[in-house]
Amino acid sequence: MTDGDAIPQASYTAQGKERIRLWRNDMAELAKDTGFLEAHSAALVQLMLYTLPFYQDLDSQRAVLATVRQAVNNGTFLKTLAGALVKLDAAAVSRQALYLSRLQSSPANKQNMLKVTDRLLAAKPDLLAEYVEVAKGTDSPGLMYAVLHFGSQHSEQIAPYQQDLLCTYCDTILGAKTPPAAERLDAYSPLLAQLSQEKFRSTVLPAAQKFVKRTPEAALISMQALFQALQLDLSSSIADVAEQLVKLMRGSKESVRYDPLVT
């Protein structure tokens, strides 16, 4: 059987609701078939890369990516996808990063995203600047984690972007009005683990102090994640923050006192 026979021809030409149904049902079912992926990963990857740029509506894009999320659990497909993304021309770099930003939907996909991103950035380190911008501009904790994970292993390459990424962390996490989701907190852990005392005191600590006073409900959970990620001796740095947290934990609001225990 050829690739053309294995993949429904309608997947290239279907429109509207039929296109969405085809990708969500027929193609997603094929993506669960290990034998199919072992034999036809190259064709499926090329179809995905060919198709997504032409689908402007979110429903169609999500239908295609639902198939890809299923397929990346297969090692052969994952390697094929990484190889194809590496070969995309410079004009497609933003699209390449956007594809990855939309893939995470499970812990398994998170690990797959790490593998793909590590391979891409190792092969083309000059793409890191674009990946940083996409990670900052999209609501994709998985891509942010993958970029920062790569940076934790290549400190010289991530160094020019560290301050900007720290500011993004302070704005989106320490500036949040509601408790951030666990995956958003975890996304920045590789960055925080590499933090120096100087960076912590100059950038993170002032934001943390304001955060605790301004938004206590969100602060307890986020500060717990921050302290767990840091690899620093904080004994001389966080007296004020610790005092504020203790006051909050002794406060009268049930949501403030017990949320950290739930998470």
Side-chain angles (χ1 to χ4, degrees):
M1 179 183 292
T2 66
D3 286 340
D5 295 329
I7 296 178
Q9 290 301 302
S11 58
Y12 293 86
T13 58
Q15 299 294 317
K17 292 182 179 179
E18 174 60 20
R19 175 169 67 197
I20 295 170
R21 185 205 62 77
L22 181 68
W23 277 98
R24 280 184 177 166
N25 298 332
D26 298 10
M27 297 298 291
E29 196 62 30
L30 285 174
K32 297 177 183 178
D33 187 334
T34 301
F36 171 83
L37 291 175
E38 293 294 331
H40 305 292
S41 283
L44 186 56
V45 166
Q46 290 305 314
L47 176 60
M48 184 268 287
L49 294 179
Y50 168 83
T51 300
L52 273 177
F54 295 101
Y55 289 177
Q56 300 301 313
D57 63 292
L58 287 177
D59 284 342
S60 294
Q61 293 177 3
R62 288 168 179 162
V64 175
L65 288 167
T67 295
V68 179
R69 289 189 190 99
Q70 179 64 46
V72 293
N73 293 307
N74 177 271
T76 299
F77 180 87
L78 184 64
K79 292 177 182 177
T80 306
L81 174 63
L85 290 175
V86 167
K87 294 176 183 177
L88 288 178
D89 58 38
V93 170
S94 294
R95 192 169 79 241
Q96 173 194 99
L98 281 170
Y99 290 157
L100 293 178
S101 75
R102 297 170 183 171
L103 284 184
Q104 184 183 353
S105 61
S106 67
N109 282 95
K110 177 180 177 179
Q111 292 303 313
N112 290 332
M113 185 182 289
L114 286 182
K115 294 176 184 177
V116 173
T117 307
D118 283 349
R119 179 172 173 180
L120 287 169
L121 294 178
K124 295 186 176 181
D126 55 315
L127 298 183
L128 182 57
E130 185 70 39
Y131 269 53
V132 168
E133 288 304 311
V134 173
K136 288 167 49 186
T138 60
D139 186 19
S140 174
L143 183 61
M144 179 62 78
Y145 183 89
V147 168
L148 295 177
H149 178 270
F150 176 83
S152 70
Q153 301 176 7
H154 302 83
S155 56
E156 291 185 2
Q157 293 180 35
I158 201 68
Y161 313 104
Q162 187 181 60
Q163 184 62 34
D164 190 24
L165 288 163
L166 274 178
C167 290
T168 300
Y169 168 77
C170 291
D171 290 342
T172 59
I173 302 300
L174 301 186
K177 295 181 179 180
T178 58
E183 58 267 24
R184 294 181 65 83
L185 295 172
D186 183 58
Y188 289 92
S189 58
L191 176 68
L192 298 174
Q194 300 294 315
L195 212 57
S196 67
Q197 284 279 5
E198 179 184 357
K199 289 287 187 182
F200 174 74
R201 289 174 179 170
S202 64
T203 303
V204 177
L205 183 57
Q209 290 170 328
K210 294 178 183 177
F211 182 42
V212 170
K213 295 176 182 178
R214 183 184 64 247
T215 319
E217 289 85 355
L220 284 174
I221 298 173
S222 299
M223 294 303 293
Q224 180 183 36
L226 170 62
F227 294 153
Q228 288 175 341
L230 289 171
Q231 302 293 314
L232 299 174
D233 178 3
L234 302 176
S235 57
S236 63
S237 303
I238 63 167
D240 180 59
V241 174
E243 182 180 354
Q244 292 294 325
L245 289 174
V246 170
K247 289 180 179 178
L248 290 174
M249 294 181 72
R250 290 175 177 171
S252 59
K253 290 185 179 180
E254 293 297 319
S255 62
V256 175
R257 285 194 300 181
Y258 295 111
D259 274 354
L261 301 180
V262 174
T263 57

